[in-house]
Amino acid sequence: MALWGMVIDLDRCTGCQACVMACKAENNVPAVGAKEAARGRTISWMHVLTEESEERTRFLPRPCLQCDDPPCIKVCPVYATYRNPEGIVAQIYARCIGCRFCMAACPYNAKYFNWLQYQREAPGQNPDVSLRPKGVVEKCTFCHHRLQKARERALAEGRGLAPGEYVTACAETCPTRAIAFGDLSDHGSDVARLARSPRAFKLGEELGTKPKVIYLSETEGHRRV
Amino acid sequence: MSDAYVQRDAALFAPIAQTGRGFYFTLVVLGIAILWGAVAYWTQFEQGLGVTGLQQPVSWGFYVTNFVFFIGISHAGTLISAILRLSKAEWRRPITRMAEVITVMVLFIGAGQILVDLGRPDRMLNVILYGRYQSPLLWDATSISTYLTASTLYLWLPLIPDIAILRDHLGKRRFLYSVLAMGWTGTERQQKILNRAIAIMAVLVIPIAISVHTVVSFVFSMTIQPAWHSSIFGPYFVAGAIFSGIAALIVAMAIIRRIYRLQAYLKPIHFRYLGHLLLVMTLLWFYLTFAEYLTGYYGNGPEEMKVFWSKFTGRFWPTFWAMAVCNFVIPMIFLVRLRHHAVGKTVVASVAVVIGMWLERFNIIVPTLSNPRLPFPDAIYWPTWIEWGETAGSFGLFILFYVLFVKFFPVISIWEIREGREVGLREVEERLLSYLPDGTEPEPARDHTRVLR
Amino acid sequence: MNGRPSTFDRAVRACQLAIAALTVFFVGSIVVWIAHLIRTAWRLDDVPSASIGISLVAIPVFLVLLGVIVSVFWGLLTERRTR
């Protein structure tokens, strides 16, 4: 069984936000409009944070970290968010009651809420991704619809899923190839190899969430020699 | 069953028997507040939660504050009434009914706050159909429904003899009172059944009440967020709930005493004793708050300290220090000496505590959410007219329920007052004799100074 | 009251029985609901321990409440009326 994960190389990230735009286009993430954005309601499944300190400024692209022990699913009262066997933390829009407990519980603030009806059917949307109604929570799904399509194609052609066949929109788009995506359980895959790098670190590792988005940074890692 | 039976406690029947202009005026004022709340909620239902001031990352605000606040107030009644009944405190007699009514009415409002806060209230049945017990919200649902059932029962059981009195003596609404009196005729057998049931409920309702606010606190403490993930939350919230509950009870008592001229029944001594209890809770609240913040400060964890300083000197200093003044400074000033003006002083302290405890809930919820771990751009939560309206409507609805209860049922337990006159005095004397050495007989009072020689 | 109960008394009695039945039904259905949630958690393999732990406390409490309610209703409503 695959374990989908991501490695983001902070030493390569230029903060261009191509990943953000690709994610928005791919997943029909709504543009909430200038007024709502000013009120702090921007929905950004992939969000590039700016970490500033005395020594440096660093860009931190933050998708949902798809934790293996997610605090968000512990608190959901209606099974609207759950971790599937391949490690992806799913969000069921049809079940969500909008209590926003998962938003309060996520230490990475990776969950977003549809405060108003932001989305309507319009041309140019990705038909593989459902539109979200108002009042439900949404978040990065590792472009799960792409996995489904790739699996169906592979099944139709009578073969297994090839490495690199399923890749998220952000990883596909990044111009500096800072984002690597793949099967962490496949020892030889790029993602697994990078995750073993001495520069690797996990955000909020001490919280015990076991995130599957691993960051690489010269100034942070040095975990293994 | 002559008129003298009613006449002696005529003041307790008066609110039910007569309706003055003040009642209708109150209804109008409450109606305006409720209307504001209804319009606010309708707007929110149509457009979505975006009409509030909530945003990323402050996704919980006024509604969850109100939820915790109202559920906290519910500890007034049943807890005070049950504890005073179990400890055979005779001074409880005029107070228990008012306290129990607060509990039942405010629980509806409190639970309603969560429904108002949902993004998809049309799916609220999902909690019942697909509930997950791992989620603290389900613990809340179970616990609050238990408390609602238990406290409704605990309100109604001691109410039955009073309803029977109304059924037999009031002359109007006979059908309503006959139904609700459940065939009470005051026989020995019925009295035994009722007293046993009340005693069981008094014992049962205490752990239920404690569990309610504990699981409400677990909504916060079961996350790993800074200033929430603290083991003190369970006891802290329960203590805070009892604190705000006593304060709400004192305010309700004072208002009802003034409006319905019940000064003969609600005397300064009742306020004095409740004031002493309130003072104890002030000190307990201060102790727990102090322990909580000292622990955070001494540990100096970076995320904890971000939230800490935002409360002490940062953006939330007004609400934080207002809370400290309302919950500690004002009660300490007004509650320490209650020999004179007990009613006025306890009411001032209680109003301050009610405001202070609302602020305390706000200070727990919003600063933590406003200070996320990751470096997000600054977010400032400002409530909109929708949230103010919903709050006003909630208070209005609660007070309306209360006022309607007082209109239909005795707000002071008639049969318990009578029991106090007929049985209580004797029982207390016997109990006192049992504390003193055997063979003690009541002696005539002597000059106090001679006893100490 | 001896003799045939009046329409008023019959109506009162009917309402009282209805209230009693509804209350018993309401409390009983909460017990059923809690059991349903345990079964759902078990079926979905989702930490049934939380459900079982809570229901070990909650269900007995509700059963006690149910017992109190039933005993009070029974005791009051079956009183031989000798006014």
Side-chain angles (χ1 to χ4, degrees):
Chain A
M1 174 124 335
L3 191 68
W4 302 110
M6 189 184 273
V7 172
I8 303 182
D9 193 338
L10 298 182
D11 296 329
R12 286 192 185 192
C13 175
T14 60
C16 70
Q17 306 213 45
C19 51
V20 177
M21 294 319 299
C23 170
K24 287 203 158 189
E26 178 76 18
N27 291 291
N28 301 331
V29 178
V32 300
K35 202 165 92 154
E36 283 291 291
R39 294 180 76 187
R41 273 70 173 288
T42 307
I43 301 182
S44 207
W45 292 13
M46 169 65 95
H47 187 125
V48 177
L49 294 160
T50 312
E51 275 189 326
E52 295 192 14
S53 68
E54 283 145 14
E55 295 105 39
R56 62 173 187 274
T57 298
R58 183 169 75 178
F59 299 110
L60 194 81
R62 189 237 61 208
C64 166
L65 276 73
Q66 310 282 350
C67 308
D68 275 336
D69 187 7
C72 62
I73 70 168
K74 281 191 202 172
V75 296
C76 177
V78 291
Y79 296 103
T81 176
Y82 71 98
R83 182 182 173 278
N84 79 9
E86 292 187 330
I88 296 185
V89 178
Q91 192 78 33
I92 309 176
Y93 311 123
R95 177 66 66 79
C96 178
I97 58 172
C99 71
R100 309 185 303 292
F101 202 166
C102 59
M103 291 176 72
C106 176
Y108 311 108
N109 295 93
K111 295 210 155 185
Y112 295 87
F113 190 67
N114 284 279
W115 301 100
L116 301 172
Q117 177 82 40
Y118 291 134
Q119 290 182 305
R120 270 171 228 295
E121 292 248 353
Q125 285 168 340
N126 186 348
D128 295 330
V129 179
S130 52
L131 297 179
R132 279 77 64 189
K134 75 166 154 60
V136 299
V137 171
E138 56 181 62
K139 68 167 188 72
C140 155
T141 56
F142 269 5
C143 291
H144 189 252
H145 55 283
R146 286 187 169 200
L147 174 62
Q148 287 174 316
K149 280 186 85 167
R151 277 234 161 90
E152 280 168 23
R153 201 178 305 126
L155 199 65
E157 292 171 11
R159 57 172 174 84
L161 201 61
E165 198 178 346
Y166 159 47
V167 75
T168 58
C170 50
E172 190 180 36
T173 306
C174 179
T176 56
R177 301 222 197 91
I179 304 180
F181 181 82
D183 183 357
L184 283 173
S185 63
D186 177 2
H187 196 77
S189 71
D190 281 339
V191 135
R193 192 176 37 83
L194 287 168
R196 295 193 295 270
S197 153
R199 287 187 302 138
F201 74 98
K202 291 187 181 163
L203 211 56
E205 185 166 18
E206 72 280 3
L207 299 172
T209 50
K210 307 199 190 70
K212 290 205 298 302
V213 172
I214 296 139
Y215 292 92
L216 302 178
S217 172
E218 196 60 55
T219 52
E220 197 87 44
H222 315 295
R223 204 69 37 99
R224 285 158 284 245
V225 172
Chain B
M1 316 281 180
S2 66
D3 241 44
Y5 192 68
V6 173
Q7 274 308 94
R8 184 152 186 211
D9 292 308
L12 300 182
F13 289 89
I16 309 169
Q18 296 120 5
T19 308
R21 265 189 336 207
F23 179 75
Y24 294 110
F25 178 70
T26 310
L27 285 189
V28 168
V29 171
L30 292 175
I32 294 174
I34 296 172
L35 189 65
W36 184 16
V39 169
Y41 185 64
W42 181 245
T43 312
Q44 181 187 293
F45 187 78
E46 290 233 283
Q47 295 182 28
L49 276 159
V51 298
T52 65
L54 298 169
Q55 53 178 280
Q56 195 78 2
V58 187
S59 47
W60 279 348
F62 262 37
Y63 297 153
V64 180
T65 305
N66 288 345
F67 165 66
V68 183
F69 174 74
F70 282 119
I71 301 289
I73 298 269
S74 77
H75 277 51
T78 318
L79 209 55
I80 302 303
S81 162
I83 292 180
L84 291 183
R85 213 175 241 132
L86 285 176
S87 58
K88 298 201 204 308
E90 288 288 321
W91 60 276
R92 73 169 192 281
R93 290 182 188 277
I95 298 177
T96 52
R97 178 69 46 75
M98 268 181 274
E100 288 152 13
V101 177
I102 290 183
T103 297
V104 175
M105 301 309 177
V106 93
L107 272 179
F108 284 109
I109 307 295
Q113 300 296 317
I114 283 292
L115 298 180
V116 164
D117 185 59
L118 290 181
R120 295 300 304 253
D122 55 309
R123 294 183 185 166
M124 66 172 89
L125 285 181
N126 279 3
V127 179
I128 297 183
L129 297 171
Y130 309 113
R132 275 184 79 237
Y133 256 131
Q134 205 193 12
S135 168
L137 278 190
L138 258 297
W139 310 347
D140 265 346
T142 307
S143 185
I144 290 177
S145 47
T146 313
Y147 195 33
L148 193 55
T149 312
S151 56
T152 307
L153 196 58
Y154 190 61
L155 169 65
W156 184 41
L157 288 178
L159 192 57
I160 289 177
D162 273 359
I163 298 178
I165 294 176
L166 291 176
R167 174 193 64 194
D168 298 332
H169 294 283
L170 189 64
K172 51 176 177 170
R173 302 188 203 118
R174 262 202 74 210
F175 187 74
L176 176 70
Y177 297 132
S178 301
V179 169
L180 291 176
M182 282 290 160
W184 176 263
T185 44
T187 62
E188 277 252 358
R189 173 176 168 267
Q190 283 186 338
Q191 280 189 23
K192 231 174 31 168
I193 293 173
L194 197 70
N195 281 328
R196 191 157 37 104
I198 294 176
I200 294 177
M201 290 308 302
V203 172
L204 196 60
V205 97
I206 294 175
I208 294 177
I210 292 179
S211 81
V212 165
H213 231 246
T214 305
V215 299
V216 168
S217 81
F218 284 173
V219 165
F220 305 102
S221 66
M222 293 294 149
T223 66
I224 48 178
Q225 305 298 30
W228 277 7
H229 192 52
S230 167
S231 50
I232 209 177
F233 262 44
Y236 190 35
F237 271 51
V238 173
I242 300 175
F243 189 31
S244 59
I246 297 178
L249 177 60
I250 292 176
V251 173
M253 270 169 63
I255 294 176
I256 290 175
R257 176 178 184 263
R258 169 66 73 87
I259 292 180
Y260 292 112
R261 285 187 260 275
L262 294 171
Q263 287 84 349
Y265 297 88
L266 293 167
K267 301 161 73 166
I269 193 159
H270 298 110
F271 288 87
R272 198 172 299 135
Y273 284 176
L274 278 177
H276 290 329
L277 272 180
L278 193 64
L279 181 62
V280 169
M281 296 313 296
T282 302
L283 294 169
L284 182 61
W285 178 85
F286 177 76
Y287 166 58
L288 293 172
T289 307
F290 176 74
E292 169 84 351
Y293 285 110
L294 181 68
T295 309
Y297 179 75
Y298 201 88
N300 208 21
E303 276 126 15
E304 283 265 349
M305 292 313 286
K306 243 191 350 168
V307 180
F308 181 96
W309 287 120
S310 82
K311 290 189 210 181
F312 271 70
T313 58
R315 197 185 318 146
F316 294 99
W317 76 261
T319 50
F320 183 79
W321 291 111
M323 166 191 85
V325 166
C326 286
N327 275 353
F328 185 68
V329 176
I330 295 182
M332 286 297 284
I333 293 175
F334 281 86
L335 293 175
V336 173
R337 294 188 61 83
L338 285 178
R339 189 182 291 258
H340 306 290
H341 312 293
V343 179
K345 285 185 190 163
T346 51
V347 168
V348 169
S350 300
V351 170
V353 168
V354 167
I355 297 173
M357 282 312 292
W358 190 95
L359 289 172
E360 192 235 40
R361 309 318 192 184
F362 182 84
N363 285 330
I364 287 176
I365 297 174
V366 179
T368 292
L369 288 175
S370 304
N371 289 290
R373 293 169 190 274
L374 295 180
F376 286 98
D378 237 6
I380 306 184
Y381 170 63
W382 277 116
T384 60
W385 71 269
I386 303 272
E387 287 150 301
W388 288 113
E390 191 270 351
T391 307
S394 302
F395 275 102
L397 205 57
F398 163 56
I399 299 174
L400 179 68
F401 287 161
Y402 205 92
V403 164
L404 287 178
F405 182 92
V406 176
K407 177 51 54 190
F408 282 88
F409 301 102
V411 75
I412 292 182
S413 183
I414 302 177
W415 71 274
E416 286 189 86
I417 297 281
R418 291 190 175 155
E419 191 195 44
R421 286 187 195 119
E422 291 156 19
V423 169
L425 287 169
R426 212 179 346 109
E427 263 181 12
V428 170
E429 193 180 341
E430 279 168 15
R431 214 185 312 149
L432 198 52
L433 279 176
S434 77
Y435 299 154
L436 294 170
D438 287 339
T440 305
E441 295 277 340
E443 293 171 14
R446 279 189 284 176
D447 187 12
H448 277 276
T449 55
R450 288 170 62 92
V451 177
L452 288 170
R453 277 228 218 112
Chain C
M1 177 173 308
N2 295 322
R4 238 165 29 91
S6 67
T7 324
F8 181 85
D9 287 329
R10 270 210 297 259
V12 165
R13 189 56 141 184
C15 284
Q16 288 170 340
L17 290 173
I19 290 177
L22 275 172
T23 316
V24 171
F25 175 72
F26 173 72
V27 177
S29 55
I30 292 186
V31 179
V32 169
W33 171 56
I34 295 176
H36 160 74
L37 291 186
I38 302 176
R39 205 163 43 94
T40 312
W42 188 268
R43 253 190 315 126
L44 289 173
D45 200 20
D46 175 70
V47 198
S49 55
S51 320
I52 294 173
I54 290 175
S55 47
L56 273 179
V57 176
I59 292 185
V61 168
F62 272 102
L63 291 177
V64 171
L65 287 178
L66 197 57
V68 171
I69 291 172
V70 166
S71 75
V72 167
F73 282 142
W74 187 265
L76 295 188
L77 288 176
T78 59
E79 183 75 15
R80 293 271 156 274
R81 255 109 56 98
T82 51
R83 264 220 272 159

